[in-house]
Amino acid sequence: MTEAAAAALPRAPAILDRSGAALSALAVLGMLLGALVIVTDVLLRWLMGSAVVALNEVMSHVFAVAVAATLPAGAVRRVNLRVDLLGRQIGERLSEWLTLCGSLLLALFFGLLAWHIWGQAVKFQAQGRATLLLNWPLAPTSYAVAAALWMAVAVQLWNAARDLRACLRTGGRGPSLSGALVTGLLALSVAGLIGWAIADFDGLAGLAMQKPGLAVAVAFALLWLGVLSQLPLAAVSGLLGLGGTALFIGAASAGKVLATDATEFLTNAQIATLPLFLMMGSFAVAAGISDDIYRLANALLGRVRGGLAYATVAGCAGFGAVSGSSVATAATFGRIALPQMQARHYGPGFSAGVVAAGGTLGALVPPSGAIILFALLTEQSIAVLFVAAMVPALLALLLYFATIWIVVRTDPEAAPDTVAAPDPLGPALKGALPVALLFGTVIGGLYGGVFTATESAAVGAVGAFLMALLRGKLNRRRFLSVMSETTATTALIYGLIFGALIFSFFVNLGQVPELLAQWIAGFDMRPVLVLAALLVFYLVLGAVMDSFAVMVITVPVVTPIVLGLGYDIYFWGVLMLVVVEIGLITPPFGLNLFVLNSLQPDVPISRVMKGVLPFILADIVKIVLLVAFPALALWLPSTM
């Protein structure tokens, strides 16, 4: 590295941060303006019986460009999903080199995607392809998406340069034997396959077509090795999917599939739903609704023993209705509820268990980012999945209430005998009324068929924005924070989706779901036993991986198997989400446990795990009830 380049590196983060902030602002402002247009259309239909012509067509292209614009900003913030399960075994020195590899792999994946989408744009322009209603040319949208991806490539290459500098300077702990074995096996396997492909691509492709199940099994093994090696899941799944698809249909055709799937997904009518609900959650947090929800819950439930625990779980459910994130809910209510429970002499383990378990409601209570991701991956209705999750979410709330009731009566140290004075009900109701109206409008409109999923997301985003604005909570710093949060999460999720699209295509080419279904049928087992085995598998995965990662890796294979057993896809989507979220509080790796431990560093993690065990038992009861009575998830959607 030259002296000039070395001198430029320290200045680069500030430049990249400013560029990322500018891109975040443009992307999120574009989404917010799009949401305002959608809300205007809803009001016009309601008040005047007219609508904006071809609005869905326009918005699909606007949001395609806006979502793509989040990718370079996300690259600046390094929001790639990595699984840190073997962090200590891998060690600091090897971890630095793997971070460098991750940056290069992301640059390669985004570069291939940008190259093929740019080629698609050239083809669209030459053919004069245009939209159906407005006859708008398709090429500009593809050019804009490709340009955003090229910017992401540039950022990732700059990240790689910084990573290389860190690698050359680092002197930390080396890897353990297990960490070296995992990364060494991955490196040797990848090098061997690349060498084989270079020397005899036709022979390797012929073997893959003769034994497609083996090809996909090898890909899954490499995927897991990559995940355990802390490589970014988006890049690993995308490149494995692209390489596997190339073995079946050729490299050129695989690139066309990647570009076509990505652009069709970006221009999908539901593309705006996820970022708008993410924006709704960020604006709602900025408006301070978590305090309002907790105050109301305490006013209603604080008059009984263990009232703060009941209020915390109820508050988590209410906050989940606008945040859609388990970890965010646990972290937010950990800061609000733990000090109050500590001041009133609640048991620290019990207090942490209450918040950790209540946090899982954040992803189950609609609108939920995980539910939207499942809907996008399986091309199902977001609205139906939201409604399907409502009764299971209520069941979870009631079971947690029952758990609290049992614990405070069997463990004298869990909660004090004296009951603290609850918050006054009148002011609490007044403060929480806007939140209730927002949630009621979003979910009620979905259930009643007044809104589509995208329209409800737009109403929620605009409503939360107005709430924060009218409360005087939306200064420049907080508005930039909302932009940054929305951009980071959007970039993370859609990067994962791009990788999942081509990996799913490869898995389906290999006919793995059909082969597995036939293999399972050969055991002559009852479907419920197969489902039980899958649920145990998901419990283990949920304890060590983020729910988004679990879905991206498993949905392409497991969902067809479950459908082949005769189960409804909406039932399966809700049940899988329930089980994966339980993994967040399952020892020894449940993420919510460590979030709560970080908020109470003086409380041993073993005590936090002990405090959450009664809630895990309640969750097992919930799973048994859902499996025994699928109507708990399917009845409410049937009434829509």
Side-chain angles (χ1 to χ4, degrees), residues 54-128:
L55 180 63
N56 285 342
E57 195 171 85
V58 175
M59 288 296 105
S60 65
H61 289 267
V62 169
F63 276 92
V65 176
V67 167
T70 66
L71 295 173
V76 170
R77 295 189 57 187
R78 293 178 176 260
V79 294
N80 316 298
L81 182 58
R82 305 196 311 174
V83 178
D84 196 21
L85 183 59
L86 297 181
R88 293 183 61 83
Q89 286 76 13
I90 288 177
E92 289 92 344
R93 287 203 302 270
L94 183 56
S95 181
E96 293 285 358
W97 286 102
L98 289 171
T99 300
L100 169 62
C101 292
S103 297
L104 292 173
L105 289 175
L106 282 167
L108 176 61
F109 177 57
F110 286 146
L112 290 171
L113 185 57
W115 174 267
H116 289 291
I117 291 179
W118 188 273
Q120 185 184 66
V122 172
K123 180 180 177 181
F124 285 167
Q125 185 175 11
Q127 295 175 346

Side-chain angles (χ1 to χ4, degrees), residues 195-222:
W196 188 354
I198 293 173
D200 184 15
F201 181 83
D202 292 338
L204 181 59
L207 177 63
M209 286 187 282
Q210 288 175 9
K211 298 183 177 180
L214 177 62
V216 176
V218 170
F220 266 104
L222 292 175

